[in-house]
Amino acid sequence: MAEEKSQASSSKMLTLKASDGVLFEVELNIAKEMKTVQAYIDDCEDIETIPIPNVLGKHLAIVIEYIKKTNEEYDAEFEKQWNMDDLQLLLLAANYLNISGLQECLCKAIAKRIENKSPEYVRKVFNIENDHSPEEEAKLRKEYKWAFEGVDKD
Amino acid sequence: MKSQKVEKPCRRRNNSRRKPTISTPTVDRISDLPDSILCHILSFIPTKQVVATSLLSPRWKSIWLSVLTLDLEDKTFKDFTSFQNFTFIAIFSRNITLPILSFRFKCSNNNSLDFDFVDNFASFVMQRGIENLNISTSTKLPSSILNCKTLKVLELENLRVEDFSHQMDLPLLESLHLNEVDFEHHEYLVKLLSSCPILEDLQLKCIRIPDFLVGKENFKSLPSLKSLYVEFSTYVSWPNRWSWLLEMLECCSKLQHLTIQDSANEDNLYNNWKEPPKVPHCLSSELRTYCIKDYNYHFYYKKIELQFAKYILHNSKVLHTMTILNSSRIVDMNARLQMFIELSSSTWDSSYCKLLFVP
């Protein structure tokens, strides 16, 4: 409509559609923090609804809220609310949407949860299957032996 | 108008329709993330543990070789030889074409550490595109560290700048923090500061300079400096330190933030406050905040800090906050009140300044 075009660009609204069909109306300047979305807008100027195929509605909601509220205090408390599964999915979302601030915050958060823990603990936290052969594992333990001495008890 | 369901963003944490969230995932998502993200996560973890991730699974075996940061600390190792061997592997096994963006090295073992060891890896690291360097160890400073085209942040602790005839060139350096660094000659400090034309943030904590002479046109201009933090040590006697500080302030034409901590215990009788003939430009026209850290209320004869504070209040046109910061929890309320009375009764040049006592 004609009224939309005369509004300042910062109050123009955009719709983002998550992978499970949930729709979010966001201001243009919030959406622009997602560089992937920005690129989409640059390519097709008149677009109103942008599909976000890799991100569930639940996570897109969290991402949008992060962009609106981010500051030092918010970031420090932000990561404490999510379990490891959500952290990883949020990280995938931040990476896909290309939001560097959020990606940095999430990488730090995940790092904090595995810092100073043994490989066995880290495998459990991430559910990584150890498909090293015993010979391979022994070889690595020998080659980098200094890395395995003096680790915190889990 | 189209009619579509538009949902406002909200957080549903304890939604009874969902399964309760568990703390361990049922799926290994992390190994599906691209290498670059795994490296980004590992960049926040000490290198000793990063190397240990090679053991997680074959997918992880070589990830550590592409992490762009190194963080090495001797006290996390069994003994010094282990630390030395590990440092060698950590630095030299990596793909040589990859940059090292951030390097942190902390060694508290003074006896075993050998200058050549530090010098060798420093030369290597400084040529790998480094932006952020933090070294804490008590040896002579390797010359390669002060000659680097990519460095943005430099933090040095306990090192000695001596026999330094080499070139100093730090064209991109924005932030320099020196803690307990010894300078064999004051001119090394001046030369260092002149080699960082875009330096904005400078911290000089308990540095040692044996041969500073007042009035010898000691400093060159520091045109970009916005923030200065100076701490004078409790253990080193430096009678003309306030004159030194004033000479430095003359050269910081754009300084906006100043913090001073004077922990020296000596009597200030030898060091009378003398107002300079002309108010340093930054104090009158640029300074926005001034902070006195850990003012020692009990040495009431340490009035020089108080007099300097009043001097600033009297001459700073754009000062908006003066903070008296106490890092310990113990506060003598009477002494604090005295100080408040003294400061608020002096003349203030700025119309908008506030006086803040923290805590």
Side-chain angles (χ1 to χ4, degrees), chain A residues 3-68:
Chain A
E3 311 94 77
E4 277 177 2
K5 291 220 166 80
S6 65
Q7 279 173 347
S9 66
S10 62
S11 53
K12 179 173 173 216
M13 302 301 271
L14 213 62
T15 305
L16 301 177
K17 182 173 172 184
S19 61
D20 47 2
V22 180
L23 297 169
F24 296 90
E25 231 189 320
V26 291
E27 288 172 1
L28 187 63
N29 60 341
I30 303 284
K32 280 180 166 197
E33 293 294 316
M34 311 178 197
K35 298 215 174 60
T36 307
V37 170
Q38 171 76 74
Y40 213 107
I41 300 172
D42 289 342
D43 271 347
C44 347
E45 270 181 33
D46 286 334
I47 195 94
E48 280 183 19
T49 303
I50 298 179
I52 314 281
N54 301 351
V55 186
L56 286 171
K58 154 186 172 179
H59 294 119
L60 191 53
I62 298 170
V63 168
I64 292 170
E65 184 156 346
Y66 176 89
I67 297 175
K68 287 185 184 165

Side-chain angles (χ1 to χ4, degrees), chain B residues 155-222:
Chain B
E155 294 174 1
L156 300 174
E157 184 176 65
N158 288 333
L159 290 146
R160 300 188 307 272
V161 185
E162 58 190 36
D163 296 330
F164 215 100
S165 51
H166 319 273
Q167 187 192 22
M168 295 191 198
D169 183 25
L170 298 164
L172 292 189
L173 198 71
E174 296 166 0
S175 173
L176 176 63
H177 292 189
L178 303 177
N179 188 1
E180 309 236 12
V181 172
D182 282 349
F183 286 85
E184 191 183 10
H185 302 293
H186 187 255
E187 68 171 280
Y188 292 159
L189 174 62
V190 178
K191 198 170 156 199
L192 170 54
L193 296 177
S194 318
S195 68
C196 350
I198 65 168
L199 190 70
E200 288 189 8
D201 164 42
L202 178 61
Q203 279 192 20
L204 299 172
K205 288 194 197 172
C206 304
I207 59 168
R208 286 171 281 252
I209 313 167
D211 60 353
F212 173 76
L213 293 172
V214 176
K216 234 183 61 157
E217 271 180 41
N218 289 291
F219 287 97
K220 306 224 174 61
S221 166
L222 296 164

Side-chain angles (χ1 to χ4, degrees), chain A residues 54-149:
Chain A
N54 301 351
V55 186
L56 286 171
K58 154 186 172 179
H59 294 119
L60 191 53
I62 298 170
V63 168
I64 292 170
E65 184 156 346
Y66 176 89
I67 297 175
K68 287 185 184 165
K69 294 195 178 163
T70 178
N71 62 35
E72 249 179 71
E73 258 181 71
Y74 183 81
D75 287 12
E77 294 302 309
F78 175 75
E79 56 98 357
K80 295 181 187 165
Q81 312 166 51
W82 317 115
N83 63 33
M84 190 51 97
D85 214 27
D86 279 327
L87 277 183
Q88 291 172 80
L89 289 168
L90 285 168
L91 180 52
L92 271 169
N95 182 246
Y96 171 73
L97 292 167
N98 201 345
I99 310 167
S100 54
L102 180 56
Q103 182 169 331
E104 174 106 350
C105 176
L106 291 165
C107 284
K108 272 195 196 152
I110 294 177
K112 207 160 105 177
R113 295 194 192 189
I114 59 171
E115 195 170 346
N116 285 327
K117 301 292 190 212
S118 67
E120 290 74 28
Y121 182 94
V122 175
R123 272 195 214 114
K124 218 167 45 170
V125 164
F126 290 135
N127 213 54
I128 298 175
E129 192 186 326
N130 181 10
D131 35 359
H132 271 311
S133 67
E135 296 82 31
E136 186 69 38
E137 179 159 339
K139 186 163 150 240
L140 286 167
R141 277 196 184 272
K142 187 165 169 223
E143 198 174 340
Y144 304 134
K145 62 178 185 275
W146 307 287
F148 300 106
E149 295 161 350

